[in-house]
């Protein structure tokens, strides 16, 4: 692992504070990360379910954390592709959490997947695959 949990937590707070709108880092390992989003009214859509953008934001920030665990603190690693499948309705006022896993990291791209869960349910509510662009080293 290129960074510790505390290093990444501090980096996210200092360099990407808006990321906290999409969840907080819970755990970090070599090529994986878990994040949690406390769902409130701003995350809900009509019909009383968690909105797609809330789940996509959580998945994206979780993938960023997992990627940084492999490549270090690279602020300009950016999402180039995000595909998400919504599998079932999350519980409206329960937290959601994401587990991101890196599948492959090369010199210029990283590819991974994220499962999103509604707290209290063992079945995922969404599954996402993502590609990140990694800037060249200077």
């Amino acid at each position: 692992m290129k960074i510790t949990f505390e290093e990444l937590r501090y980096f996210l707070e200092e360099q990407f504070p808006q990321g906290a709108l999409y969840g907080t880092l819970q755990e970090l390992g070599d090529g994986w990360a878990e994040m949690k989003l406390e769902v409130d009214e701003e995350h809900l859509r009509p019909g009383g379910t968690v909105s797609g953008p809330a789940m996509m934001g959580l998945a994206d920030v979780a993938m960023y954390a997992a990627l940084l665990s492999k490549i270090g603190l690279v602020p300009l690693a950016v999402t180039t592709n995000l595909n998400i499948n919504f599998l079932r309705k999350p519980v409206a006022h329960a937290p959601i959490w994401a587990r991101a896993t890196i599948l492959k990291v090369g010199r210029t791209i990283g590819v991974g997947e994220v499962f999103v869960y509604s707290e209290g349910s063992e079945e995922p509510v969404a599954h996402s695959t993502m590609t990140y662009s990694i800037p060249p080293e200077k």
Side-chain angles (χ1 to χ4, degrees):
M1 216 165 67
K2 293 264 187 168
I3 55 173
T4 67
F5 176 90
E6 285 302 318
E7 289 170 328
L8 181 56
R9 191 181 60 73
Y10 179 77
F11 171 80
L12 292 173
E13 286 174 4
E14 293 298 312
Q15 300 298 316
F16 189 44
Q18 65 275 30
L21 298 171
Y22 305 107
T24 56
L25 186 65
Q26 301 293 302
E27 293 189 50
L28 183 70
D30 188 17
W32 63 270
E34 288 188 1
M35 295 193 71
K36 182 178 185 178
L37 176 64
E38 296 292 338
V39 174
D40 60 29
E41 292 301 317
E42 70 186 46
H43 301 111
L44 299 180
R45 64 171 298 263
T49 188
V50 179
S51 72
M55 288 187 273
M56 289 186 321
L58 173 64
D60 193 27
V61 177
M63 181 58 68
Y64 185 57
L67 179 65
L68 295 186
S69 79
K70 295 295 281 182
I71 67 172
L73 300 177
V74 180
L76 291 178
V78 296
T79 309
T80 57
N81 185 62
L82 186 154
N83 180 59
I84 191 162
N85 293 294
F86 301 108
L87 305 173
R88 54 191 50 84
K89 183 178 177 179
V91 178
H93 292 283
I96 57 173
W97 61 276
R99 175 156 177 123
T101 305
I102 297 298
L103 301 173
K104 179 181 180 359
V105 177
R107 283 185 313 102
T108 59
I109 66 165
V111 178
E113 70 177 344
V114 182
F115 285 95
V116 179
Y117 297 87
S118 191
E119 192 164 281
S121 175
E122 293 183 21
E123 298 293 324
V125 297
H127 176 258
S128 181
T129 56
M130 284 181 232
T131 304
Y132 262 75
S133 175
I134 302 167
E137 291 184 33
K138 293 182 179 182

